[in-house]
């Protein structure tokens, strides 16, 4: 299908909609805006022209958050509403509680604030993502634009209209970039999966991953009558293993209660909870392999899907559990191949989508796969069985330490001479359950806590870095999802990571970086605040306030005339100011497309001390080192400015 991107802007007596077609090869520049089609309410037969664009055969209409706004506006226009009535529908969508009873016309038009234009193919880019399109523009380095025209302005001038259309075109362009850079691989996988199992492309595009997976598995929404049931049963084939290798009070708690439980077990502080098992030997610990000791991460293969199959815990809403089992087996078979074909890789991606989605979907009451009792059983059985394995390793292998456990794996530190014993324990665990285990050889780990660490591992003969959490995050991208994280001045995390890995001087890394995106920081106001302002010459007699966008990008600068940034809201009749968190005291806006700035020109303004200090904060950790059977404080990773 041809992908056609669109976006509406609505005003009291006028509306416009911009359409832009994605090139077949997905190669385009900002000049593509010149080819966009703009339809306005003052055009002859605007309704007919609009419907012609939406209903062109073999076209998928794409946009950001269109299910909950743009498609309702399109339907209002289709109904023949005047621009004034379209504005009422607009207001009912955006602020329903403020205006739903404002006039008789508001009351009459309320139903249309929830009705989408029907009979068209569409894809909403917010599906499986979070945040606003402006947040995406920030993270992608695009120009951050907002119209200067108030959406409640009654009499639009020609200059106003040109400003609105310019802004409208930019939002369409930004959604196209977001699709190309982030969404496309996931949409492609979802469409391929649907095609394999008899779903149309239009159906795949208009639904979320979880909905498509439910359709693939033949899920039918049902009430099983035990959604509130707390007690679970340990599957018979692993019951003895769990009870022999875990204290009875833990087994009893997990099987009879849903409350979180934190205990001391296998030398770790272990947390059992609704999100799975998590533990660490201690926070702020460093460990590395040597000739005598090794680090090895043991993962249960596709753990939750494997658990669902091994113990008959697949959502009962799934009318075709054999298909789930077939997809699971197919995925493991392809993963085991040294050189899968391109076609097999595409199948693998779709199979992974099913496996990664089915468990979570069983806990969402809005989805067909909803089966809360099976979901909690999978989670609680899974953590019991994995904790039993970790505890048996700890008790059986001399001088074995458990560095951490997580939802599906255990990171162990043990003498190399006991590797075969570990593998015997893995085989026993697999023999009992039928669930396989994978191994990754780890060279080093810096672990702040179970949710924040840097790990160096060897995989297929190659060195691979793995980071978790916000501690050393250095990219807005989140592999495996369509979500994006805000910019946080990643150069500081890059410098801290380089120091830990290679001993590279923090100052050297930061000074040598010439990528403006690594210095940029996102600041967004959130829905409870009315505006964002920056104080210029703050505290001086000539202080002024500059109104900013809802989402902005800034860099730290030395010039003190650039003051703090605040988000504002009314509180008890007065405007209250709240300093934007986690940004510099002195900020320069970089809201234009980042690739349009000359970095050498900005270099003299950048406050390098801010980024260096931030890197030092990331490194200011009282590390302890695990060596053989001892954990001792270490100054190996202390950074000293000479």
């Amino acid at each position: 299908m041809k992908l056609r991107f669109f976006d509406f802007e609505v005003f009291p007596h006028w509306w416009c909609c911009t359409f832009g077609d994605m090139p077949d090869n997905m190669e385009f520049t900002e000049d593509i805006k010149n080819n966009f089609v703009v339809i306005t309410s003052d055009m002859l037969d605007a309704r007919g022209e609009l419907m012609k664009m939406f209903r062109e055969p073999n076209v998928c209409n794409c946009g950001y958050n269109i299910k909950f706004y743009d498609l309702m506006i399109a339907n209002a226009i289709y109904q023949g509403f005047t621009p004034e009535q379209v504005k009422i529908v607009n207001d009912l969508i955006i602020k329903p509680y403020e205006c739903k009873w404002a006039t008789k016309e508001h009351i009459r038009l309320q139903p249309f604030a929830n009705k989408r234009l029907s009979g068209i193919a569409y894809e909403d880019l917010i599906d499986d993502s979070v945040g606003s399109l402006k947040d995406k523009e920030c993270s992608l380095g695009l120009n951050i634009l907002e119209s200067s025209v108030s959406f409640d302005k009654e009499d639009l001038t020609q200059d106003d209209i040109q400003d609105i259309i310019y802004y409208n075109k930019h939002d369409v362009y930004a959604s196209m970039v977001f699709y190309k850079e982030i969404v496309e691989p996931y949409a492609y996988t979802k469409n391929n999966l649907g095609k394999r199992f008899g779903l149309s492309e239009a159906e795949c595009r208009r639904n979320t991953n979880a909905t498509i997976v439910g359709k693939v598995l033949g899920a039918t929404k049902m009430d099983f009558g035990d959604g509130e049931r707390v007690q679970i049963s340990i599957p018979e084939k692993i019951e003895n293993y769990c009870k022999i290798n875990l204290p009875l009070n833990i087994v009893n708690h997990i099987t009879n209660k849903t409350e979180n439980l934190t205990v001391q077990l296998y030398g770790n502080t272990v947390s059992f909870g609704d999100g799975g098992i998590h533990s660490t030997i201690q926070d702020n610990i460093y460990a590395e392999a040597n000739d005598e000791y090794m680090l090895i991460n043991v993962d249960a293969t596709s753990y939750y899907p494997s658990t669902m199959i091994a113990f008959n815990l697949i959502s009962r809403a799934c009318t075709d559990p054999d298909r789930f089992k077939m997809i699971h087996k197919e995925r493991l078979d392809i993963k085991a191949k040294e050189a899968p074909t391109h076609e097999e890789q595409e199948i693998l991606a779709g199979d992974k989508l099913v496996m990664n989605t089915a468990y979570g979907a069983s806990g969402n009451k809005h989805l067909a796969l909803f089966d809360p009792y099976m979901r909690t059983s999978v989670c609680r059985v899974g953590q019991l069985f994995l904790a039993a394995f970790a505890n048996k390793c700890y008790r059986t292998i001399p001088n074995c330490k458990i560095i951490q456990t997580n939802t599906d794996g255990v990171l162990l530190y043990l003498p190399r001479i006991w590797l075969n014993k570990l593998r015997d324990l893995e085989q026993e665990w697999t023999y009992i359950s039928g669930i396989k285990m994978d191994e990754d050889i780890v060279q080093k780990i810096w672990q702040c806590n179970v949710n924040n660490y840097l790990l160096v591992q060897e995989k297929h003969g190659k060195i691979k870095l793995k980071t978790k959490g916000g501690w050393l995050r250095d990219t807005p991208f989140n592999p495996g999802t369509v979500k994006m994280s805000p910019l946080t001045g990643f150069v500081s995390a890059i410098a801290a990571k380089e120091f830990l890995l290679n001993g590279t001087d923090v100052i050297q890394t930061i000074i040598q970086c010439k990528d403006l995106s690594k210095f940029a920081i996102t600041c967004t106001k959130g829905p409870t605040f009315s505006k964002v302002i920056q104080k210029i010459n703050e505290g001086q007699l000539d202080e002024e306030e500059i109104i900013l966008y809802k989402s902005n990008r800034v860099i730290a600068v030395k010039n003190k005339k650039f003051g703090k940034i605040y988000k504002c809201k009314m509180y008890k009749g007065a405007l209250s100011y709240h300093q934007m968190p986690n940004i510099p005291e002195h900020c320069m806006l970089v809201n234009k497309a980042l690739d349009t700035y000359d970095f050498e020109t900005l270099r003299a303004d950048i406050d390098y001390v801010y980024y260096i200090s931030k890197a030092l904060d990331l490194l200011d950790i009282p590390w302890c080192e695990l060596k053989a059977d001892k954990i001792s404080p270490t100054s190996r990773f202390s950074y000293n400015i000479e």
Side-chain angles (χ1 to χ4, degrees):
M1 301 179 80
K2 179 194 291 184
L3 302 183
R4 175 167 292 164
F5 293 77
F6 75 99
D7 184 60
F8 275 100
E9 303 297 340
V10 176
F11 293 82
H13 309 290
W14 184 86
W15 57 257
C16 72
C17 185
T18 294
F19 293 90
D21 289 353
M22 176 71 79
D24 291 339
N25 62 2
M26 288 202 191
E27 295 299 324
F28 59 90
T29 63
E30 202 157 348
D31 290 341
I32 199 173
K33 293 178 183 178
N34 298 328
N35 300 324
F36 288 176
V37 174
V38 181
I39 297 174
T40 65
S41 58
D42 49 14
M43 291 172 58
L44 189 64
D45 192 23
R47 174 185 175 278
E49 292 299 317
L50 191 74
M51 291 305 114
K52 190 186 299 181
M53 294 296 289
F54 276 123
R55 299 194 187 282
E56 184 176 323
N58 203 36
V59 165
C60 180
N61 299 278
C62 307
Y64 198 89
N65 200 31
I66 59 175
K67 288 182 184 177
F68 303 100
Y69 177 73
D70 299 82
L71 290 177
M72 268 85 92
I73 297 299
N75 180 63
I77 296 167
Y78 170 70
Q79 300 298 329
F81 291 175
T82 65
E84 292 74 20
Q85 291 171 320
V86 172
K87 180 62 163 75
I88 289 175
V89 173
N90 170 89
D91 292 348
L92 287 167
I93 296 169
I94 294 173
K95 43 187 179 181
Y97 300 109
E98 296 176 34
C99 65
K100 63 190 300 185
W101 310 112
T103 68
K104 289 182 179 179
E105 190 73 338
H106 282 76
I107 297 171
R108 188 178 74 83
L109 295 177
Q110 278 183 35
F112 295 96
N114 294 297
K115 290 184 179 179
R116 299 171 188 154
L117 180 65
S118 62
I120 66 169
Y122 62 85
E123 180 169 4
D124 195 335
L125 306 188
I126 203 173
D127 283 350
D128 302 305
S129 184
V130 292
S132 69
L133 182 59
K134 292 299 162 193
D135 295 335
K136 307 298 188 296
E137 290 177 12
C138 282
S139 296
L140 288 167
L142 299 176
N143 196 342
I144 305 168
L145 288 178
E146 291 183 20
S147 174
S148 59
V149 183
S150 167
F151 286 108
D152 291 320
K153 187 171 184 181
E154 295 279 343
D155 300 311
L156 299 176
T157 67
Q158 281 304 309
D159 285 344
D160 290 337
I161 287 173
Q162 291 309 307
D163 181 82
I164 294 163
I165 291 174
Y166 182 79
Y167 163 76
N168 194 211
K169 285 185 174 182
H170 180 72
D171 270 3
V172 172
Y173 172 76
S175 66
M176 292 173 72
V177 174
F178 177 58
Y179 182 89
K180 175 186 174 182
E181 298 295 332
I182 306 297
V183 177
E184 194 276 333
Y186 305 95
Y188 183 79
T189 295
K190 186 170 62 173
N191 294 339
N192 267 357
L193 177 68
K195 185 177 179 181
R196 284 180 61 202
F197 294 101
L199 304 177
S200 69
E201 182 179 346
E203 190 172 12
C204 291
R205 288 193 176 278
R206 71 171 174 262
N207 287 297
T208 63
N209 288 344
T211 299
I212 293 302
V213 168
K215 290 176 180 290
V216 165
L217 297 175
T220 302
K221 190 76 178 289
M222 289 185 269
D223 183 358
F224 301 101
D226 56 7
E228 301 299 321
R229 183 179 169 189
V230 171
Q231 281 189 327
I232 64 164
S233 299
I234 304 175
E236 186 177 350
K237 57 185 175 181
I238 65 168
E239 185 174 9
N240 285 340
Y241 185 90
C242 291
K243 289 182 175 179
I244 290 170
N245 292 297
L246 285 175
L248 191 58
N249 66 307
I250 293 177
V251 175
N252 288 337
H253 182 98
I254 301 303
T255 54
N256 292 292
K257 298 179 182 178
T258 56
E259 292 84 5
N260 291 353
L261 174 68
T262 300
V263 296
Q264 295 300 310
L265 185 68
Y266 47 79
N268 279 214
T269 301
V270 185
S271 296
F272 298 91
D274 193 54
I277 183 174
H278 297 88
S279 79
T280 57
I281 188 170
Q282 70 172 57
D283 291 347
N284 305 331
I285 191 165
Y286 170 77
E288 68 175 276
N290 56 34
D291 291 341
E292 186 180 356
Y293 278 79
M294 68 185 303
L295 281 162
I296 185 166
N297 197 62
V298 179
D299 276 339
T301 307
S302 193
Y303 191 32
Y304 276 8
S306 297
T307 299
M308 293 160 72
I309 292 170
F311 308 132
N312 296 316
L313 298 175
I314 299 171
S315 167
R316 291 165 291 181
C318 175
T319 60
D320 193 356
D322 287 340
R323 178 172 285 183
F324 185 83
K325 296 173 185 176
M326 179 277 290
I327 292 172
H328 179 263
K329 182 179 184 304
E330 181 179 61
R331 180 177 182 234
L332 297 186
D333 289 346
I334 295 175
K335 278 186 70 177
K337 294 186 177 183
E338 288 189 12
T341 65
H342 176 71
E343 182 181 358
E344 287 174 331
Q345 289 174 341
E346 290 186 343
I347 292 172
L348 185 64
D351 291 351
K352 181 179 180 181
L353 179 62
V354 175
M355 294 298 104
N356 288 354
T357 305
Y359 166 75
S362 67
N364 187 326
K365 66 182 179 180
H366 301 292
L367 297 172
L369 280 167
F370 184 55
D371 188 348
Y373 184 68
M374 285 301 188
R375 188 208 66 83
T376 192
S377 295
V378 170
C379 179
R380 290 154 71 186
V381 167
Q383 54 190 309
L384 269 179
F385 193 36
L386 193 68
F389 170 76
N391 202 37
K392 185 162 189 179
C393 291
Y394 178 75
R395 295 192 308 186
T396 305
I397 301 174
N399 293 326
C400 174
K401 298 287 190 292
I402 308 296
I403 303 294
Q404 64 161 258
T405 53
N406 53 55
T407 304
D408 60 359
V410 183
L411 178 59
L412 304 101
Y413 177 85
L414 71 158
R416 292 183 182 273
I417 59 173
W418 292 108
L419 177 59
N420 287 337
K421 180 60 178 177
L422 172 63
R423 287 177 172 163
D424 289 342
L425 296 177
E426 292 174 32
Q427 289 175 8
E428 177 194 26
W429 194 83
T430 297
Y431 177 77
I432 291 170
S433 63
I435 301 173
K436 296 180 180 179
M437 283 188 151
D438 298 319
E439 294 179 352
D440 287 317
I441 303 302
V442 176
Q443 293 185 347
K444 304 175 182 179
I445 184 171
W446 291 262
Q447 180 172 272
C448 292
N449 52 58
V450 72
N451 293 313
N452 287 276
Y453 58 79
L454 169 64
L455 181 146
V456 183
Q457 65 184 23
E458 183 182 322
K459 203 159 191 174
H460 306 305
K462 295 181 179 179
I463 299 301
K464 181 181 177 183
L465 299 181
K466 179 181 178 181
T467 58
K468 183 174 182 180
W471 172 44
L472 293 179
R473 170 174 284 281
D474 60 3
T475 175
F477 304 105
N478 294 278
T481 77
V482 291
K483 296 175 183 176
M484 298 194 74
S485 297
L487 306 176
T488 58
F490 295 135
V491 69
S492 300
I494 292 169
K497 189 183 293 186
E498 280 296 312
F499 174 75
L500 292 175
L501 291 170
N502 305 311
T504 307
D505 189 276
V506 165
I507 297 173
Q508 176 185 323
T509 301
I510 293 175
I511 294 295
Q512 289 181 350
C513 180
K514 297 183 179 180
D515 183 346
L516 184 59
S517 71
K518 303 303 182 186
F519 292 87
I521 301 167
T522 300
C523 49
T524 301
K525 75 172 181 64
T528 60
F529 293 86
S530 59
K531 65 179 179 179
V532 178
I533 64 101
Q534 181 176 24
K535 294 191 176 184
I536 305 299
N537 293 319
E538 187 168 12
Q540 304 300 312
L541 290 175
D542 59 347
E543 177 184 290
E544 62 176 317
E545 292 184 1
I546 307 297
I547 297 178
L548 307 182
Y549 296 147
K550 297 172 185 175
S551 294
N552 300 273
R553 259 192 323 258
V554 301
I555 57 172
V557 292
K558 294 176 286 187
N559 191 337
K560 294 185 179 179
K561 109 171 186 180
F562 294 104
K564 300 170 187 171
I565 293 180
Y566 297 86
K567 46 189 179 179
C568 308
K569 64 179 175 182
M570 295 301 295
Y571 180 70
K572 294 184 177 179
L575 191 65
S576 62
Y577 292 76
H578 304 259
Q579 187 175 349
M580 196 73 72
N582 304 316
I583 62 168
E585 292 285 297
H586 308 290
C587 301
M588 179 186 289
L589 297 172
V590 284
N591 281 340
K592 294 190 298 183
L594 292 181
D595 61 7
T596 64
Y597 291 92
D598 177 18
F599 187 83
E600 291 304 320
T601 302
L602 289 176
R603 183 188 283 277
D605 296 312
I606 293 175
D607 182 6
Y608 284 100
V609 172
Y610 170 83
Y611 297 100
I612 293 167
S613 297
K614 202 173 160 194
L616 298 188
D617 287 342
L618 294 173
L619 293 170
D620 187 18
I621 294 171
W623 292 106
C624 289
E625 183 172 4
L626 171 60
K627 209 166 187 179
D629 59 348
K630 293 182 180 178
I631 298 176
S632 308
T634 180
S635 60
R636 287 180 62 182
F637 307 109
S638 299
Y639 181 85
N640 299 308
I641 299 178
E642 297 186 6

